[in-house]
DNA sequence: ATGCGGACCTGTTAGC
DNA sequence: TGCTAACAGGTCCGCA
């Protein structure tokens, strides 16, 4: 489900409710997520005060004095703020109950998400330390992508979806950014010029910023922490638009699987 | 090192 | 109407 804009929308939604709150209790109903949720999570978190609510790529980090809770929403995860007494429904795997009487509730039907704990700097955690730069940071430039792509033969779409190259760009926004940049998703990463990488970086930035502004994209079930959907879907040019006319040239859009992910593009406007 | 395919899991929808 | 297959926003891991 969530790519960077949806995770950022979630972060912004939950942060005001979590900031400086103390954890009363943690209830784990399902430990079998992407990785086994620590058994002693309640013991670790009880009494801890949440100092920071940060995002790194698609990970959310809740910083406390004793360590950090690392959350990932996988394909189908969502976080909401609810009154603690709200009955849990199917797939509600985790509650973090706060001294405010509210609770942070994780729902994740497919269970590809993750709940991890670390005492150390979460950015040095095994799963986070190899992540590439944030796409909205100054480190992420056309020159950087061009350098990293030399000699690489994989499709540009797969390249920009590699979290070690750049983190947070998922399937929707990879499709959209390549469309905006006029780059064919199958083009070999190593065979794009600096100039075209500059365009691609701008396109990625632009699409992510616009999506965050709209509260993310709701295709099926994404909702922000307050239950509201994202409105960026209306601005998607290619995603899930197979056979529909290209907004630029009117020719029908194409669909095919690239790197096991559904890909949409215009063969006329993207080269 | 690189690139590919499989694996994890449930829900929804398209097709017969 | 009902069963089955395909597909869905992620990403780690093992193998060639």
């Amino acid at each position: 489900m969530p790519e960077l804009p949806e995770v950022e929308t979630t972060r912004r939604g939950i942060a005001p409710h979590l900031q400086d709150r103390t954890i009363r209790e943690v209830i784990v109903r399902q430990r079998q997520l992407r990785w086994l949720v620590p058994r002693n999570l309640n013991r670790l978190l009880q009494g801890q005060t949440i100092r920071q609510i940060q995002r790194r790529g698609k990970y959310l980090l809740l910083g406390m004095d004793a360590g950090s809770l690392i959350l990932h929403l996988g394909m189908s995860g969502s976080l909401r703020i609810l009154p603690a007494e709200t009955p849990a429904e199917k797939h509600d795997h985790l509650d973090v109950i706060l001294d405010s009487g509210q609770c942070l509730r994780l729902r994740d039907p497919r269970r590809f998400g993750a709940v991890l704990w670390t005492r150390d700097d979460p950015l040095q955690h095994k799963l986070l330390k190899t992540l590439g730069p944030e796409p909205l940071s100054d480190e992420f430039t056309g020159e950087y992508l061009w350098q990293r792509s030399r000699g690489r033969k994989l499709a540009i779409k797969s390249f920009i979806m590699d979290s070690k190259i750049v983190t947070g760009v998922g399937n929707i926004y990879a499709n959209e950014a390549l469309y905006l940049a006029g780059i064919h998703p199958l083009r070999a990463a190593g065979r794009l010029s600096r100039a075209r990488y500059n365009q691609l970086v701008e396109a990625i930035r632009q699409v992510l910023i616009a999506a965050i502004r709209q509260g993310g994209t709701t295709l099926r079930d994404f909702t922000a922490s307050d239950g509201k959907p994202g409105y960026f879907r209306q601005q998607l040019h290619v995603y899930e638009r197979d056979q529909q006319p290209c907004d630029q040239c009117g020719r029908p859009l194409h669909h095919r699987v690239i790197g096991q992910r559904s890909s949409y593009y215009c063969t006329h406007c993207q080269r």
Side-chain angles (χ1 to χ4, degrees):
Chain A
M1 171 217 292
E3 301 185 35
L4 187 152
E6 292 74 38
V7 177
E8 179 60 20
T9 296
T10 299
R11 190 193 69 79
R12 293 180 185 184
I14 64 176
H17 301 275
L18 302 184
Q19 184 69 52
D20 300 321
R21 286 294 169 194
T22 297
I23 296 172
R24 196 178 278 167
E25 189 186 2
V26 177
I27 298 171
V28 181
R29 299 188 189 81
Q30 170 60 271
R31 295 183 63 210
Q32 311 270 337
L33 304 185
R34 182 71 153 82
W35 288 280
L36 202 60
V37 177
R39 180 188 299 283
N40 56 350
L41 207 56
N42 183 51
R43 185 148 38 89
L44 290 165
L45 294 184
Q46 212 165 36
Q48 289 289 311
T49 299
I50 301 171
R51 309 283 184 198
Q52 301 143 77
I53 303 96
Q54 296 176 305
R55 179 187 59 73
R56 172 77 174 104
K58 298 174 193 167
Y59 289 92
L60 285 168
L61 310 172
L62 307 189
M64 300 161 223
D65 294 332
S68 294
L69 191 68
I70 302 175
L71 301 170
H72 195 290
L73 301 178
M75 287 277 259
S76 60
S78 61
L79 287 168
R80 283 168 309 154
I81 299 287
L82 299 165
E85 61 272 18
T86 310
E89 295 177 28
K90 201 177 179 186
H91 308 306
D92 288 344
H93 305 317
L94 178 87
D95 282 357
V96 177
I97 300 169
L98 307 164
D99 59 356
S100 60
Q102 291 185 302
C103 96
L104 176 70
R105 179 166 288 172
L106 172 69
R107 175 175 295 180
D108 184 5
R110 291 181 71 181
R111 293 194 265 132
F112 289 169
V115 177
L116 304 162
W117 172 257
T118 180
R119 304 173 161 287
D120 306 320
D121 177 2
L123 300 179
Q124 294 307 309
H125 188 278
K126 186 193 171 200
L127 295 172
L128 281 84
K129 72 176 175 193
T130 55
L131 294 177
E134 288 290 323
L136 300 179
S137 73
D138 293 343
E139 285 173 77
F140 184 58
T141 64
E143 179 68 19
Y144 162 81
L145 274 190
W146 182 82
Q147 288 284 351
R148 293 291 306 263
S149 65
R150 293 308 87 188
R152 302 288 305 263
K153 292 181 176 166
L154 83 170
I156 183 63
K157 176 159 180 277
S158 303
F159 182 67
I160 59 170
M161 288 180 69
D162 180 347
S163 65
K164 289 172 179 48
I165 299 301
V166 56
T167 182
V169 181
N171 200 33
I172 297 177
Y173 302 110
N175 277 301
E176 294 298 314
L178 288 168
Y179 176 78
L180 292 178
I183 297 169
H184 195 291
L186 278 176
R187 175 168 287 274
R191 301 191 55 201
L192 276 165
S193 67
R194 273 192 173 86
R196 301 199 78 198
Y197 271 115
N198 286 333
Q199 292 178 317
L200 180 54
V201 161
E202 279 318 301
I204 290 172
R205 284 223 175 86
Q206 194 188 314
V207 75
L208 294 179
I209 289 169
I212 291 170
R213 200 177 295 134
Q214 298 290 307
T217 299
T218 296
L219 292 173
R220 282 162 272 278
D221 54 10
F222 170 74
T223 56
S225 57
D226 56 5
K228 293 192 183 124
Y231 296 103
F232 192 68
R233 185 176 194 176
Q234 297 155 279
Q235 288 163 54
L236 297 178
H237 288 100
V238 292
Y239 192 80
E240 288 192 337
R241 293 193 55 193
D242 187 21
Q243 298 299 104
Q244 293 180 41
C246 169
D247 289 337
Q248 288 173 50
C249 75
R251 293 174 174 81
L253 296 171
H254 288 247
H255 168 66
R256 66 168 281 182
V257 174
I258 299 170
Q260 294 151 259
R261 308 308 299 276
S262 243
S263 306
Y264 304 86
Y265 51 96
C266 174
T267 51
H268 181 255
C269 298
Q270 294 175 254
R271 300 296 171 116

